[in-house]
């Protein structure tokens, strides 16, 4: 869970190994969330990490890093994904 938009509401992030994407449920507040928005980020993502990779944290959004289990690659969603 993290806030992925400047509204600072806590969103839910999930990895979907099949069909290989990262999903974000954006919070509307009061425990209500939008439908899942999916982002392609590699093959079989397994876990997520958050960091400010591009030194652009002035917008209060962290970048998302997805570790892919069936490859030697990671997927990155820089802070303009949402």
């Amino acid at each position: 869970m993290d806030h992925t938009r400047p509204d600072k509401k806590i969103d839910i992030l999930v990895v979907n190994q099949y069909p290989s994407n990262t999903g974000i449920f954006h919070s509307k507040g009061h425990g209500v969330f939008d439908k899942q928005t999916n982002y392609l980020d590699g093959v079989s993502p397994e876990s997520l990490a958050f960091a400010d990779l591009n030194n652009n944290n002035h917008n209060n959004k962290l970048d998302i890093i997805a570790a892919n289990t069936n490859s030697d690659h990671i997927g990155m969603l820089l802070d303009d994904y949402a």
Side-chain angles (χ1 to χ4, degrees):
M1 296 173 59
D2 189 17
H3 57 88
T4 60
R5 295 192 279 197
D7 63 12
K8 296 195 179 197
K9 294 177 183 168
I10 300 296
D11 304 313
I12 297 174
L13 290 85
V14 297
V15 291
N16 301 306
Q17 281 194 321
Y18 308 101
S20 295
N21 61 40
T22 295
I24 301 176
F25 295 90
H26 294 289
S27 175
K28 293 183 173 186
H30 307 291
V32 178
F33 294 86
D34 286 332
K35 290 176 59 176
Q36 183 175 199
T37 303
N38 296 315
Y39 298 90
L40 298 175
D41 56 8
V43 178
S44 298
E46 184 173 273
S47 61
L48 297 175
F50 308 94
D52 184 18
L53 299 175
N54 58 357
N55 292 323
N56 193 20
N57 201 21
H58 66 273
N59 60 7
N60 294 317
K61 289 169 50 180
L62 292 174
D63 306 311
I64 301 171
I65 304 99
N68 297 301
T69 189
N70 290 333
S71 70
D72 294 329
H73 299 95
I74 61 170
M76 293 186 295
L77 299 171
L78 298 180
D79 62 9
D80 60 352
Y81 51 84

